[in-house]
Amino acid sequence: MGKFVNDVKGFFDFCDKNEVKFVSFRFTDIKGMWHHMSYNLSALNEESFTDGIAFDGSSIDAWQPIDKSDMILKPDIETAFLDPFTADMTVVVICDVYDVYKGQMYEKCPRSIAKKATLHLRSCGLADTVYVGCENEFFVFDDVRIFDSPNHAGFELDTEEGEWNDAKRYKDGFNSGHRPRAKGGYFPVQPIDTMVDLRAEMVNVLNQIGIETFINHHEVAQAQGEIGVKFSTLIEAADNVQIYKYVVKMVAHLNGKTATFMPKPLYGDNGSGMHVHNSLWKDGKNLFYEEGGYAGLSDIARWYIGGVLAHARAIAAFTNASTNSYKRLIPGFEAPNILTYSCQNRSASVRIPYGSSNKSTRAEFRFPDATSCPYLAFAALLLAGLDGIRKKTEPVGPMDENLFKLTLDEIRERGIEQFPHTLRGSLEALIRDNEFLAPAMSSEFIKTYQHYKFETQVWPYEERPTPFEFKSVFSC
């Protein structure tokens, strides 16, 4: 993200120049949701940034009890940017959360956890930087209706791109008949691609607030799009995901539409992922590159991949953090659920992108999605990779064939592990396998996280009957 201020004095100069009236202090909870509170600029001074901003931590899910609710937001002044959506000029500042009782970074603050992971990287002496690049896909719908009561459950989505509208009569318009239809949305031009101007507006806003983009296009599914954002360091990349999601949702909202990063909103069509690219660097050198290695990969890169694949079932609790995540990871929809690596092959969980060279060699982890909290997802990938380097873990592979054509028996015969099929499976794996996360995630945090996910995702999902169950079981 482009930086507009470097220090507190520069911040107040920036606010004065832009006639700022409010400051929106933002932080992230364990499920990845952005929260904020706004202060009048006139109520703030330099001490507000050095001492922090007090707030009630007991009102945030899975954080503090009521008797120890006082928390402090520590603003990261270099993250400041002008909010492009407020009527009154507002500057946004991203914050870390500080524990006043223990006198340290809060152990349940995702951004603080990510910072601990990067400090661990440097303390190992192996590398000084991990670069992270994200590919966040999203859907844009015209209307969303949700039903969830004891005797009535379901949802209804609509988009003019939906093939279900082929025979629809529009009261105040006409039916053009131009639609991508299921799995037909990759790179069509207008009028099939109806979101060209909408994505362009999203890109313009992102660039305006300092996020560098390089590509935008329609994705495979109906009503699905993607905007490419330049890679960055781990913390900045996670910050950028939060800003990206905010901009995409707000631009859609202001255009009378609604955007979602839900992995699998449409049955029978491709889902949305958040592919994550990683590489380790030291003193300006890419440690993932080695001339003559498979796809240009060094031993360090291969062991890093090995660590991620070895711990993938536990990592999934962070990278694929909803029950809906696992509806995307099924065969037939380009789902990267086979735990191996390959050059160029998009059917493997880990892909080495085409054309890798000294500076561009990296590993692309294709299983994450945007229901994850980006700080936790990126930290978990880094910690698993470092564990793999430490243990010199060799990954299964490389496998350059079309893995989607393999039967389950063939996958088992080759000794290839598969991604968990449910959120319950990933959380149970996390309970068994979490020692590699210890440099940044405390046992208290792991316990809180998995309990929270069981209580808010797994159990409510498992106890609800679905329309398909009525269709298939009602007449038993």
Side-chain angles (χ1 to χ4, degrees):
M1 182 173 73
K3 293 194 169 40
F4 299 99
V5 300
N6 296 311
D7 52 35
V8 175
K9 182 183 181 302
F11 173 81
F12 283 104
D13 290 342
F14 177 76
C15 291
D16 183 58
K17 177 182 177 182
N18 290 282
E19 300 181 343
V20 167
K21 292 185 177 180
F22 299 99
V23 181
S24 172
F25 293 106
R26 302 196 180 183
F27 64 97
T28 301
D29 68 13
I30 65 173
K31 57 184 182 293
M33 181 172 287
W34 236 7
H35 299 265
H36 85 125
M37 56 182 175
S38 294
Y39 268 71
N40 295 345
L41 179 64
S42 59
L44 301 171
N45 53 36
E46 290 194 13
E47 286 70 31
S48 304
F49 293 87
T50 54
D51 298 342
I53 310 293
F55 75 104
D56 176 7
S58 69
S59 296
I60 305 299
D61 285 356
W63 276 15
Q64 289 296 94
I66 194 71
D67 59 320
K68 291 185 177 180
S69 60
D70 290 328
M71 306 293 287
I72 296 291
L73 293 180
K74 290 280 191 176
D76 186 341
I77 202 71
E78 293 186 1
T79 65
F81 66 92
L82 295 176
D83 192 322
F85 304 113
T86 52
D88 293 300
M89 196 62 75
T90 300
V91 64
V92 174
V93 182
I94 299 174
C95 304
D96 302 310
V97 180
Y98 191 77
D99 188 332
V100 300
Y101 304 98
K102 295 183 178 180
Q104 62 185 29
M105 289 192 295
Y106 186 41
E107 64 184 322
K108 297 179 186 177
C109 168
R111 198 168 189 266
S112 297
I113 288 171
K115 283 190 170 182
K116 291 175 185 175
T118 58
L119 289 172
H120 174 65
L121 168 66
R122 296 187 192 107
S123 71
C124 292
L126 172 69
D128 50 45
T129 305
V130 56
Y131 283 116
V132 178
C134 275
E135 301 175 43
N136 286 275
E137 299 162 333
F138 56 87
F139 285 87
V140 177
F141 295 110
D142 298 324
D143 190 56
V144 178
R145 300 172 66 215
I146 303 167
F147 321 98
D148 184 24
S149 59
N151 70 323
H152 187 199
F155 65 90
E156 185 174 350
L157 307 172
D158 200 15
T159 167
E160 61 181 308
E161 291 191 358
E163 60 186 354
W164 53 87
N165 283 321
D166 275 348
K168 182 175 180 178
R169 291 183 181 275
Y170 288 91
K171 183 178 179 181
D172 299 316
F174 71 101
N175 193 328
S176 74
H178 295 296
R179 292 187 173 86
R181 300 182 178 85
K183 297 189 180 184
Y186 202 60
F187 288 8
V189 298
Q190 308 98 306
I192 294 175
D193 181 356
T194 66
M195 300 190 292
V196 171
D197 292 335
L198 189 69
R199 290 195 309 273
E201 185 176 345
M202 293 169 180
V203 166
N204 289 336
V205 173
L206 287 166
N207 293 342
Q208 172 190 329
I209 60 178
I211 294 183
E212 185 175 347
T213 62
F214 59 91
I215 187 175
N216 78 85
H217 60 86
H218 200 292
E219 259 295 348
V220 174
Q222 301 159 99
Q224 188 183 34
E226 180 183 326
I227 298 169
V229 173
K230 187 179 178 181
F231 69 89
S232 189
T233 57
L234 189 149
I235 302 297
E236 187 172 359
D239 289 344
N240 286 348
V241 169
Q242 298 296 73
I243 298 169
Y244 173 95
K245 292 172 75 173
Y246 175 62
V247 167
V248 167
K249 290 176 183 178
M250 281 301 300
V251 170
H253 178 72
L254 294 175
N255 280 274
K257 297 179 182 289
T258 182
T260 178
F261 291 84
M262 183 178 182
K264 190 76 170 181
L266 295 177
Y267 169 70
D269 215 338
N270 280 29
S272 288
M274 182 182 73
H275 302 165
V276 180
H277 298 248
N278 277 181
S279 60
L280 296 181
W281 291 64
K282 185 172 185 179
D283 298 329
K285 178 184 178 182
N286 183 3
L287 302 182
F288 272 26
Y289 176 75
E290 183 178 294
E291 188 174 356
Y294 172 81
L297 290 181
S298 65
D299 289 342
I300 287 175
R302 198 176 64 255
W303 296 332
Y304 187 100
I305 292 168
V308 170
L309 294 180
H311 296 295
R313 297 180 66 83
I315 294 171
F318 298 106
T319 58
N320 303 79
S322 71
T323 56
N324 186 257
S325 298
Y326 300 84
K327 298 185 187 305
R328 166 182 166 252
L329 297 171
I330 58 174
F333 298 91
E334 302 181 28
N337 62 342
I338 302 173
L339 297 178
T340 184
Y341 75 106
S342 176
C343 174
Q344 305 173 31
N345 187 352
R346 285 175 167 82
S347 62
S349 290
V350 187
R351 170 178 168 262
I352 314 306
Y354 173 76
S356 293
S357 61
N358 188 352
K359 291 188 176 182
S360 64
T361 297
R362 61 198 186 277
E364 176 191 358
F365 301 102
R366 296 179 57 79
F367 49 84
D369 65 56
T371 62
S372 66
C373 171
Y375 302 100
L376 299 178
F378 300 166
L381 289 168
L382 173 62
L383 293 169
L386 293 177
D387 188 65
I389 294 171
R390 181 175 65 85
K391 295 177 179 176
K392 298 184 178 181
T393 305
E394 290 290 345
V396 173
M399 294 189 174
D400 293 329
E401 61 191 289
N402 185 349
L403 300 173
F404 293 147
K405 291 184 177 180
L406 297 180
T407 66
L408 288 177
D409 286 339
E410 288 173 327
I411 291 171
R412 295 188 189 101
E413 287 170 5
R414 298 188 184 200
I416 309 173
E417 289 286 332
Q418 285 188 284
F419 212 66
H421 299 297
T422 64
L423 180 59
R424 171 184 281 277
S426 69
L427 291 168
E428 289 175 346
L430 177 64
I431 293 170
R432 296 189 301 270
D433 176 25
N434 58 60
E435 186 177 343
F436 70 98
L437 300 167
M441 300 185 190
S442 68
S443 58
E444 176 62 25
F445 171 76
I446 297 291
K447 180 180 178 182
T448 297
Y449 183 86
Q450 58 95 359
H451 276 299
Y452 179 74
K453 287 296 180 179
F454 269 110
E455 292 166 4
T456 61
Q457 284 276 316
V458 176
W459 295 335
Y461 171 80
E462 290 179 344
E463 70 183 7
R464 279 168 166 75
T466 68
F468 179 76
E469 288 173 324
F470 275 90
K471 185 176 179 179
S472 60
V473 179
F474 189 79
S475 297
C476 62

